[in-house]
Amino acid sequence: MFKRKLRFFLHRWHRRLGLAAAIIVLIVSFTGILLNHTGGLALAKQYPQSGFWLWPYPQEQHRGIQLNGQLLYQTTQQVFLNELPLLNCAPPLINAAIIDQQLWVLCASQLLFLQNGQLIESIETVLLGHDISNIGALNGQLLIKNLNTWHGFDDLTMQLGEPTDAPSVLNKVAPLENIQTKNHTITWQKVIQDIHSGRFFGSMGIYIVDAAAIILMLLALSGFWIWFSRQKY
C-alpha cells in the first residue's frame, strides 16, 4: 500500500518537475548543440549588435577622434576608421594625422603608416630612439613631438628634423561617449556560453540552471523507480 502511494506521489511530482524544467532544459540543450558546432558556425568570429544580447556586458570603452569628418577609434587593440577595421595597435591610441591621403597613427609603442586603408609601415617608437608623445601635421608634413619639442619627420630616413612650430590644429583623442559603434569584443560564442551556463541572466541565472540540473537528476531517479515499480503490477 505504501509503495503504491509513493508511486503515485512520485508520478505526480515527476510531471510537475518535468514541466518546471522543460524550458530551461530546451535552452541548455539548444545552446549546447550550438557550442558543439562553434567552428562550423564561426561563432567565435561573429559579433551580435543588438542591445538585447549585449545588455549583461559592460559597454565597450572606446578612445577616438574625429579625423577629416571620419571617426577613428580603438577597441581593445583593434583600430577602426568608421566601421572599417584597419590594424592592431597597442593601446592606448594617442593620436593620428592625415597628410596627402596618407594616414599616420600613433599608439603606445608604434607609429603606423597607412595608405588607402592598407598598412605600409609599422615602426616601433623605441627604435627611433626618442620619447614620442604626440604627432600632428603642418604644411603637409608629419610632425612628431619629442618630450616638449616638435620636430619634422622624414619617413625615408626615419629621422627627426630640426625643432619646428607646433601644429596649428592638434587632434585630441578622448573617450567616446554617446557614439554608436559596433560591438567588436563580445562574440556569439561568448553569449551562447553564458546563456548555456546561466551567467547571461546574472547571479541568479547560474542557480536556476543548477536547479534545472538537479531536477533532471530527480526526474531520472523517479522515472527509474516508477518504471521498475510498475513492473510489479
Side-chain angles (χ1 to χ4, degrees):
M1 186 69 177
F2 172 76
K3 288 185 177 180
R4 178 174 294 181
K5 289 183 178 181
L6 178 61
R7 178 173 174 275
F8 286 128
F9 173 81
L10 290 176
H11 190 271
R12 183 169 60 251
W13 278 101
H14 184 89
R15 289 183 299 174
R16 292 176 179 176
L17 290 174
L19 289 174
I23 295 176
I24 300 173
V25 170
L26 286 173
I27 292 173
V28 171
S29 300
F30 180 68
T31 53
I33 292 172
L34 292 177
L35 291 174
N36 279 340
H37 300 277
T38 295
L41 297 173
L43 297 178
K45 298 179 181 179
Q46 299 184 54
Y47 304 87
Q49 302 302 328
S50 170
F52 178 83
W53 300 109
L54 297 175
W55 69 265
Y57 307 102
Q59 188 175 2
E60 290 182 274
Q61 297 299 313
H62 304 319
R63 284 173 53 84
I65 52 177
Q66 293 287 346
L67 198 63
N68 287 15
Q70 302 182 83
L71 179 63
L72 183 81
Y73 65 96
Q74 184 177 46
T75 65
T76 57
Q77 292 194 0
Q78 186 81 40
V79 175
F80 292 81
L81 184 61
N82 296 326
E83 297 300 338
L84 175 67
L86 295 180
L87 46 90
N88 287 328
C89 187
L93 172 67
I94 296 174
N95 214 334
I98 293 181
I99 303 170
D100 297 330
Q101 307 303 314
Q102 299 172 347
L103 175 63
W104 292 85
V105 179
L106 177 64
C107 294
S109 59
Q110 297 166 285
L111 179 62
L112 304 151
F113 167 45
L114 299 96
Q115 193 164 25
N116 299 323
Q118 299 296 318
L119 179 63
I120 304 299
E121 190 78 38
S122 175
I123 308 164
E124 296 291 330
T125 54
V126 67
L127 299 179
L128 297 175
H130 303 283
D131 183 8
I132 299 176
S133 59
N134 213 335
I135 62 172
L138 183 65
N139 298 327
Q141 182 184 21
L142 178 68
L143 302 186
I144 288 182
K145 189 176 184 181
N146 176 29
L147 299 178
N148 294 318
T149 306
W150 287 94
H151 300 263
F153 179 71
D154 188 334
D155 58 299
L156 295 178
T157 62
M158 301 297 176
Q159 297 294 320
L160 299 187
E162 295 298 321
T164 186
D165 295 332
S168 55
V169 177
L170 188 63
N171 301 313
K172 183 178 180 182
V173 177
L176 300 178
E177 298 180 358
N178 302 321
I179 294 180
Q180 296 298 321
T181 57
K182 286 188 175 181
N183 163 45
H184 304 286
T185 304
I186 307 300
T187 64
W188 272 115
Q189 181 182 20
K190 168 69 173 172
V191 172
I192 293 172
Q193 283 177 335
D194 288 346
I195 293 175
H196 185 77
S197 65
R199 290 191 296 268
F200 184 85
F201 305 100
S203 57
M204 288 303 298
I206 298 174
Y207 295 110
I208 292 173
V209 173
D210 289 345
I214 294 172
I215 289 174
L216 282 179
M217 289 188 287
L218 293 175
L219 288 175
L221 293 174
S222 61
F224 276 122
W225 198 93
I226 291 171
W227 173 260
F228 285 113
S229 65
R230 183 180 176 184
Q231 307 304 310
K232 299 179 181 180
Y233 293 96

